[in-house]
Amino acid sequence: MTRIDDKFAALAQEGKKAFVAYVMAGDPDFATSLEVVKGLPSAGVDIIELGLPFTDPMADGPTIQLAGQRALEGGMTLSKTLELARAFRQDDQTTPIVMMGYYNPIYSRGVESFLKEAKEAGIDGLIIVDLPPEEDSELCLPAQAAGLNFIRLATPTTDDKRLPRVVQNTSGFVYYVSITGITGSAEAQADDVSPEVARIKAASGLPVIVGFGVNTPEKSRAIAEVADGVVVGSAIVGKIAKGDSVPDVLAFVKSLSDGAHSV
């Protein structure tokens, strides 16, 4: 059982949906990023998605691409991302952290070394968007053997033939991408999402969390009504990009989490 598994078990007992927040590690700088991350649990965040900055983030829209560029220009690295997780864990041993990013920095580090460091830093799960199920032996299976959840993305184009392969070695939860396209490019619609969530839950037996296109408390609530939880990323990252203060960013996060938790 990972912290992610424990969190969903606790939420189920309380009859609550999960609220997941994505932030880019090191955006706009290490200290501010750490302050935001440390404040997320108090703002109602159940699971933290910590973005690993990368030079070619193909699944991300302009908002998160620019966040990654800011982080990289500020000197953020894989090592410093793990350092940020370790700093967070000094005060919080319970909130799950999922590292979300791309395979290249992990491959460059070496899978075995990375997994050992990630586990020690307090990372609980991985979402690596450019590793398909056909490459499970690269990272997915070693990660699970090391005690980390490997969380897969399903999309509106994941048909019934493809879905069993996608969820085969997935653990923790399934991240349903509610729109076709990049992050922040359109709005999720609950009526479209509901049947897809049911289909994915039936195939995986796992909680299904919906992300992409959720940007208001009202939308957060609407999606949480038809899923096991909701992820917000671009809308939060956009507040950071505007230079909003950390308390203002966290107040916005709290409004979103309140929406998801009001179901």
Side-chain angles (χ1 to χ4, degrees):
M1 292 283 286
T2 65
R3 290 186 186 94
I4 297 169
D5 300 322
D6 290 342
K7 175 59 72 174
F8 278 110
L11 288 167
Q13 277 198 321
E14 297 171 32
K16 289 174 65 177
K17 302 301 181 73
F19 181 73
V20 184
Y22 171 98
V23 292
M24 179 66 72
D27 176 38
D29 54 65
F30 186 95
T32 306
S33 178
L34 178 58
E35 190 180 353
V36 170
V37 172
K38 282 186 170 184
L40 292 176
S42 299
V45 173
D46 298 301
I47 298 172
I48 296 167
E49 275 186 17
L50 189 61
L52 174 62
F54 181 53
T55 52
D56 187 23
M58 62 184 183
D60 296 316
T63 300
I64 291 179
Q65 283 191 17
L66 289 169
Q69 287 178 19
R70 288 191 298 271
L72 291 169
E73 287 166 4
M76 204 63 183
T77 61
L78 174 55
S79 292
K80 288 185 178 180
T81 301
L82 294 173
E83 183 184 330
L84 192 150
R86 278 191 292 271
F88 173 82
R89 284 283 174 235
Q90 289 176 7
D91 301 315
D92 187 317
Q93 286 293 323
T94 58
T95 304
I97 300 176
V98 175
M99 182 182 285
M100 185 170 185
Y102 299 82
Y103 185 45
N104 186 277
I106 296 170
Y107 177 80
S108 298
R109 180 58 137 279
V111 167
E112 188 175 344
S113 296
F114 165 75
L115 290 174
K116 183 173 183 289
E117 292 176 74
K119 186 72 174 174
E120 289 173 350
I123 301 296
D124 304 292
L126 302 173
I127 300 175
I128 307 300
V129 298
D130 56 345
L131 272 183
E134 287 73 18
E135 306 294 336
D136 273 356
S137 60
E138 284 282 326
L139 182 62
C140 172
L141 297 179
Q144 308 232 51
L148 278 74
N149 291 123
F150 198 89
I151 296 145
R152 192 80 70 189
L153 304 179
T155 75
T157 61
T158 306
D159 60 20
D160 288 339
K161 182 179 179 182
R162 179 66 174 167
L163 185 58
R165 187 67 181 269
V166 168
V167 302
Q168 182 177 12
N169 292 315
T170 299
S171 64
F173 62 91
V174 179
Y175 186 138
Y176 179 63
V177 177
S178 63
I179 58 172
T180 53
I182 54 177
T183 58
S185 62
E187 288 197 6
Q189 301 298 327
D191 289 347
D192 298 332
V193 166
S194 182
E196 291 299 295
V197 168
R199 184 171 70 96
I200 295 163
K201 279 179 72 77
S204 68
L206 293 169
V208 179
I209 307 300
V210 176
F212 286 46
V214 182
N215 48 26
T216 66
E218 295 75 23
K219 185 68 70 175
S220 181
R221 176 187 169 88
I223 296 300
E225 284 181 338
V226 299
D228 297 298
V230 58
V231 186
V232 180
S234 292
I236 298 169
V237 172
K239 295 282 187 184
I240 295 170
K242 282 169 53 183
D244 286 14
S245 68
V246 172
D248 284 348
V249 171
L250 294 174
F252 176 63
V253 173
K254 181 69 163 58
S255 73
L256 297 165
S257 70
D258 285 348
H261 290 150
S262 67
V263 175

